[in-house]
Amino acid sequence: SQKIEQNSEALNIQEGKTATLTCNYTNYSPAYLQWYRQDPGRGPVFLLLIRENEKEKRKERLKVTFDTTLKQSLFHITASQPADSATYLCARRANDYKLSFGAGTTVTVRA
Amino acid sequence: DVKVTQSSRYLVKRTGEKVFLECVQDMDHENMFWYRQDPGLGLRLIYFSYDVKMKEKGDIPEGYSVSREKKERFSLILESASTNQTSMYLCASDTGGSNQPQHFGDGTRLSIL
């Protein structure tokens, strides 16, 4: 079965620094990886999608990379702000319907 | 914007009760999903539906059933609630396809006493 793992449960960083989150997957490379943000007591919200043949994708202060050799995606929050504090989830399609989610990494940005 | 609405944010029920969680989406999405989320375990798929009256088991279907009588509405049923079903329940929808994101409701925090 395909697994997806996020290495760190929690990440604490100083405002202005870059947060880097890791997502590892097993078995074959998915065609796409997705990243979501979840605030406490709310549902996940889609942020970014990166295709297998894309090395890097950017959206404002967010950057996602996809390394099929390492079977890994990295999610970067640059110039972090306290408002970036949340749990970030990565996900891959298991088949046409199902998404498999990692357990998430909780980011806390200190002012 | 897609809106997925779950009928209750918080719900408290007793062991043995039959519990209904309702979810409605307004974007004509084919696929709808029910997850539960527990600390350290992440999101786990309970059931999903790819069409009206169609349903498929997810990873943890035991103790649950679902109903999809209309395209926009997907209900999760706890046939006889137990304390180990205390959790956050999240509904989602999407249009299908590997590059499509899922859109989530804000969840129902269910406590079974």
XYZ file of all heavy atoms in Angstrom, chain B residues 47-100:
424
model
N -15.669 6.395 4.577
C -16.435 6.014 3.389
C -16.316 7.124 2.364
O -16.081 8.279 2.710
C -17.932 5.856 3.722
C -18.390 4.479 4.083
C -18.525 4.100 5.416
C -18.737 3.556 3.094
C -18.969 2.832 5.756
C -19.193 2.283 3.427
C -19.293 1.928 4.762
O -19.750 0.671 5.107
N -16.545 6.776 1.109
C -16.703 7.793 0.096
C -17.783 7.373 -0.900
O -18.205 6.216 -0.936
C -15.375 8.127 -0.593
C -14.804 7.026 -1.443
C -14.991 7.005 -2.815
C -14.025 6.034 -0.863
C -14.437 5.996 -3.592
C -13.462 5.026 -1.636
C -13.675 5.008 -3.000
N -18.197 8.368 -1.697
C -19.243 8.133 -2.682
C -18.855 8.841 -3.967
O -18.469 10.017 -3.940
C -20.577 8.671 -2.173
O -21.538 8.706 -3.208
N -18.941 8.151 -5.090
C -18.579 8.750 -6.378
C -19.796 9.069 -7.238
O -19.667 9.538 -8.370
C -17.588 7.868 -7.140
C -18.057 6.448 -7.324
C -18.831 6.081 -8.411
C -17.723 5.466 -6.393
C -19.262 4.784 -8.579
C -18.150 4.166 -6.552
C -18.917 3.824 -7.641
O -19.350 2.540 -7.790
N -20.987 8.796 -6.690
C -22.212 9.111 -7.425
C -23.385 8.921 -6.477
O -23.250 8.265 -5.423
C -22.349 8.200 -8.640
C -23.274 8.772 -9.704
O -23.938 9.804 -9.446
O -23.334 8.192 -10.802
N -24.507 9.430 -6.865
C -25.714 9.256 -6.052
C -25.993 7.766 -5.868
O -25.873 6.976 -6.809
C -26.909 9.942 -6.730
C -28.195 9.667 -5.960
C -26.680 11.435 -6.832
N -26.307 7.411 -4.635
C -26.619 6.044 -4.233
C -25.431 5.089 -4.316
O -25.576 3.898 -4.032
C -27.800 5.471 -5.032
C -29.102 6.227 -4.809
C -30.286 5.475 -5.354
C -31.570 6.288 -5.259
N -31.941 6.554 -3.846
N -24.254 5.578 -4.678
C -23.062 4.734 -4.719
C -22.201 5.030 -3.501
O -22.069 6.195 -3.088
C -22.264 4.989 -5.998
C -23.056 4.850 -7.266
S -23.863 3.242 -7.433
C -22.464 2.192 -7.689
N -21.593 3.988 -2.954
C -20.709 4.176 -1.804
C -19.618 3.124 -1.849
O -19.812 2.027 -2.366
C -21.496 4.083 -0.493
C -22.182 2.747 -0.292
C -23.032 2.748 0.962
C -23.743 1.416 1.134
N -24.645 1.405 2.305
N -18.491 3.508 -1.280
C -17.356 2.606 -1.194
C -16.757 2.706 0.199
O -16.657 3.804 0.759
C -16.274 2.975 -2.210
C -16.649 2.736 -3.663
C -16.576 1.270 -4.052
O -15.956 0.488 -3.318
O -17.150 0.907 -5.097
N -16.317 1.593 0.744
C -15.654 1.607 2.046
C -14.284 2.238 1.918
O -13.574 2.035 0.932
C -15.517 0.181 2.581
C -16.836 -0.458 2.939
C -16.628 -1.872 3.460
C -17.964 -2.511 3.807
N -17.797 -3.907 4.295
N -13.943 2.982 2.950
C -12.598 3.526 3.043
C -11.734 2.611 3.887
O -11.880 1.386 3.850
N -10.874 3.204 4.681
C -9.920 2.415 5.471
C -10.483 1.940 6.807
O -10.025 0.938 7.340
C -8.658 3.256 5.710
C -7.993 3.658 4.402
O -7.883 2.788 3.510
O -7.605 4.828 4.262
N -11.460 2.653 7.339
C -11.997 2.304 8.665
C -13.523 2.377 8.675
O -14.124 3.139 9.412
C -11.411 3.211 9.773
C -11.558 4.707 9.405
C -9.940 2.896 10.017
C -11.385 5.634 10.585
N -14.214 1.535 7.899
C -15.665 1.651 7.802
C -16.456 1.011 8.943
O -17.666 1.250 9.082
C -15.956 0.914 6.495
C -14.881 -0.132 6.432
C -13.664 0.504 7.035
N -15.776 0.221 9.779
C -16.519 -0.561 10.782
C -17.239 0.359 11.754
O -16.654 1.294 12.308
C -15.557 -1.464 11.555
C -14.873 -2.548 10.715
C -13.724 -2.007 9.870
O -13.210 -0.912 10.178
O -13.350 -2.684 8.904
N -18.518 0.076 11.969
C -19.327 0.846 12.903
C -20.011 2.044 12.270
O -20.733 2.779 12.950
N -19.782 2.225 10.964
C -20.354 3.369 10.243
C -21.118 2.896 9.010
O -20.846 1.840 8.460
C -19.251 4.320 9.772
C -18.353 4.857 10.849
C -17.142 4.230 11.156
C -18.694 6.010 11.551
C -16.304 4.726 12.144
C -17.862 6.515 12.533
C -16.661 5.873 12.819
O -15.840 6.373 13.790
N -22.058 3.705 8.580
C -22.667 3.537 7.272
C -22.884 4.932 6.696
O -22.687 5.938 7.394
C -23.988 2.767 7.360
O -24.925 3.492 8.127
N -23.235 4.981 5.420
C -23.426 6.274 4.757
C -24.652 6.204 3.867
O -25.151 5.141 3.520
C -22.201 6.686 3.908
C -21.008 7.041 4.792
C -21.846 5.607 2.901
N -25.090 7.412 3.488
C -26.229 7.518 2.583
C -26.013 8.691 1.658
O -25.630 9.775 2.114
C -27.516 7.722 3.389
O -28.602 7.994 2.536
N -26.265 8.467 0.359
C -26.202 9.577 -0.590
C -27.400 9.459 -1.527
O -27.336 8.824 -2.572
C -24.892 9.563 -1.373
C -24.683 10.893 -2.105
C -23.294 11.045 -2.577
N -23.105 12.303 -3.288
C -22.141 12.506 -4.161
N -21.285 11.528 -4.426
N -22.021 13.672 -4.762
N -28.468 10.108 -1.133
C -29.706 10.098 -1.900
C -29.755 11.224 -2.930
O -30.448 11.124 -3.944
C -30.902 10.202 -0.954
C -31.032 9.001 -0.019
C -31.291 7.710 -0.771
O -32.081 7.722 -1.741
O -30.694 6.679 -0.403
N -29.037 12.301 -2.659
C -28.947 13.422 -3.584
C -27.471 13.770 -3.789
O -26.651 13.550 -2.897
C -29.684 14.645 -3.034
C -31.191 14.464 -2.955
C -31.856 15.757 -2.537
C -33.373 15.577 -2.518
N -34.070 16.831 -2.148
N -27.169 14.318 -4.936
C -25.774 14.568 -5.279
C -25.089 15.491 -4.279
O -23.908 15.326 -3.978
C -25.696 15.182 -6.682
C -24.292 15.256 -7.254
C -24.319 15.718 -8.687
C -22.935 15.645 -9.298
N -22.950 16.089 -10.722
N -25.812 16.462 -3.762
C -25.183 17.463 -2.912
C -25.066 17.039 -1.446
O -24.414 17.727 -0.677
C -25.959 18.791 -2.992
C -27.356 18.740 -2.394
C -28.417 18.357 -3.408
O -28.060 17.770 -4.458
O -29.603 18.638 -3.135
N -25.669 15.949 -1.069
C -25.757 15.602 0.346
C -25.194 14.200 0.613
O -25.526 13.241 -0.085
C -27.226 15.662 0.790
C -27.450 15.473 2.268
C -28.944 15.581 2.584
N -29.471 16.910 2.265
C -29.491 17.926 3.107
N -29.022 17.786 4.338
N -29.991 19.080 2.734
N -24.366 14.129 1.652
C -23.728 12.856 2.019
C -23.803 12.738 3.526
O -23.288 13.594 4.246
C -22.280 12.854 1.532
C -21.589 11.518 1.568
C -22.271 10.345 1.324
C -20.219 11.443 1.795
C -21.623 9.115 1.326
C -19.553 10.225 1.785
C -20.252 9.073 1.552
N -24.463 11.684 3.992
C -24.686 11.521 5.430
C -23.846 10.376 5.972
O -23.704 9.343 5.327
C -26.165 11.228 5.696
O -26.976 12.250 5.165
N -23.322 10.589 7.153
C -22.588 9.545 7.877
C -23.448 9.105 9.049
O -23.972 9.946 9.787
C -21.248 10.076 8.375
C -20.384 9.096 9.168
C -19.837 7.988 8.256
C -19.223 9.821 9.853
N -23.571 7.800 9.212
C -24.425 7.249 10.266
C -23.594 6.361 11.178
O -22.885 5.469 10.695
C -25.586 6.443 9.644
C -26.371 7.334 8.677
C -26.495 5.876 10.733
C -27.041 6.590 7.559
N -23.682 6.652 12.466
C -23.103 5.757 13.465
C -24.257 4.905 13.976
O -25.179 5.408 14.631
C -22.476 6.552 14.608
C -21.128 7.222 14.351
C -21.230 8.325 13.323
C -20.548 7.756 15.658
N -24.237 3.643 13.633
C -25.394 2.787 13.888
C -25.678 2.639 15.389
O -26.816 2.685 15.817
C -25.171 1.415 13.256
C -25.031 1.457 11.737
C -26.342 1.781 11.045
O -27.411 1.706 11.690
O -26.312 2.118 9.847
N -24.641 2.465 16.174
C -24.765 2.353 17.626
C -23.492 2.947 18.221
O -22.473 2.268 18.297
C -24.929 0.888 18.034
O -24.992 0.772 19.445
N -23.576 4.210 18.571
C -22.370 4.961 18.931
C -21.629 4.330 20.104
O -22.242 3.855 21.077
C -22.738 6.396 19.268
N -20.311 4.357 19.993
C -19.475 3.865 21.083
C -18.445 4.935 21.428
O -18.156 5.833 20.621
C -18.775 2.564 20.691
O -17.902 2.790 19.611
N -17.866 4.832 22.617
C -16.952 5.881 23.080
C -15.730 6.018 22.174
O -15.172 7.108 22.047
C -16.506 5.625 24.531
O -15.947 4.314 24.625
C -17.676 5.740 25.499
N -15.318 4.928 21.528
C -14.144 5.026 20.646
C -14.448 5.710 19.313
O -13.567 5.851 18.456
C -13.494 3.653 20.411
C -14.407 2.681 19.699
O -15.459 3.056 19.193
N -14.003 1.422 19.648
N -15.678 6.149 19.153
C -16.034 6.943 17.987
C -16.033 8.447 18.291
O -16.379 9.256 17.432
C -17.380 6.503 17.430
C -17.327 5.096 16.835
C -18.663 4.632 16.305
O -19.684 4.700 17.012
N -18.692 4.153 15.077
N -15.635 8.789 19.499
C -15.411 10.199 19.820
C -14.256 10.700 18.970
O -13.153 10.143 19.011
C -15.074 10.361 21.314
O -16.236 10.056 22.080
C -14.608 11.776 21.622
N -14.500 11.745 18.177
C -13.496 12.187 17.225
C -13.967 13.454 16.529
O -15.089 13.909 16.719
C -13.259 11.091 16.168
O -12.178 11.416 15.313
N -13.075 14.007 15.681
C -13.447 15.070 14.750
C -13.782 14.406 13.421
O -12.975 13.621 12.899
C -12.289 16.043 14.568
C -12.478 17.020 13.421
S -13.736 18.255 13.744
C -12.719 19.586 14.349
N -14.970 14.704 12.903
C -15.401 14.144 11.628
C -15.413 15.232 10.562
O -15.982 16.314 10.757
C -16.790 13.518 11.770
C -16.752 12.251 12.587
C -16.868 12.299 13.977
C -16.543 11.013 11.983
C -16.787 11.140 14.741
C -16.470 9.850 12.730
C -16.584 9.927 14.104
O -16.499 8.776 14.854
N -14.757 14.937 9.456
C -14.623 15.906 8.373
C -15.231 15.352 7.093
O -14.969 14.209 6.712
C -13.150 16.232 8.126
C -12.480 17.085 9.203
C -10.984 16.909 9.180
C -12.845 18.545 9.028
N -16.010 16.190 6.448
C -16.597 15.860 5.157
C -15.827 16.617 4.079
O -15.359 17.735 4.323
C -18.068 16.272 5.143
S -18.899 16.050 3.561
N -15.682 16.014 2.907
C -14.991 16.671 1.800
C -15.665 16.309 0.486
O -16.393 15.322 0.399
C -13.516 16.261 1.765
N -15.390 17.117 -0.525
C -15.896 16.816 -1.860
C -14.850 17.208 -2.890
O -13.979 18.051 -2.619
C -17.223 17.537 -2.138
O -17.015 18.928 -2.299
N -14.930 16.586 -4.066
C -14.084 16.997 -5.184
C -14.714 16.539 -6.500
O -15.694 15.805 -6.524
C -12.635 16.507 -5.028
C -12.451 15.010 -5.175
O -13.241 14.346 -5.897
O -11.498 14.470 -4.574
N -14.097 16.995 -7.585
C -14.635 16.672 -8.907
C -14.038 15.391 -9.472
O -14.411 14.950 -10.545
C -14.345 17.811 -9.897
O -12.915 17.984 -9.976
C -14.977 19.105 -9.448
N -13.049 14.825 -8.746
C -12.386 13.631 -9.266
C -11.167 14.004 -10.091
O -10.998 15.152 -10.483
N -10.302 13.058 -10.355
C -9.085 13.344 -11.099
C -7.919 13.563 -10.158
O -8.066 14.170 -9.100
N -6.756 13.072 -10.578
C -5.616 13.048 -9.659
C -5.075 14.442 -9.354
O -4.363 14.628 -8.371
C -4.502 12.177 -10.218
O -4.127 12.632 -11.507
N -5.393 15.439 -10.164
C -4.867 16.772 -9.911
C -5.890 17.690 -9.248
O -5.672 18.893 -9.169
C -4.372 17.395 -11.219
C -5.515 17.603 -12.190
O -6.565 16.975 -12.071
N -5.328 18.480 -13.155
N -6.981 17.137 -8.781
C -8.025 17.967 -8.180
C -7.926 17.972 -6.663
O -7.781 16.923 -6.039
C -9.405 17.460 -8.600
C -9.670 17.586 -10.079
C -9.525 19.011 -10.549
O -10.098 19.930 -9.973
N -8.725 19.208 -11.604
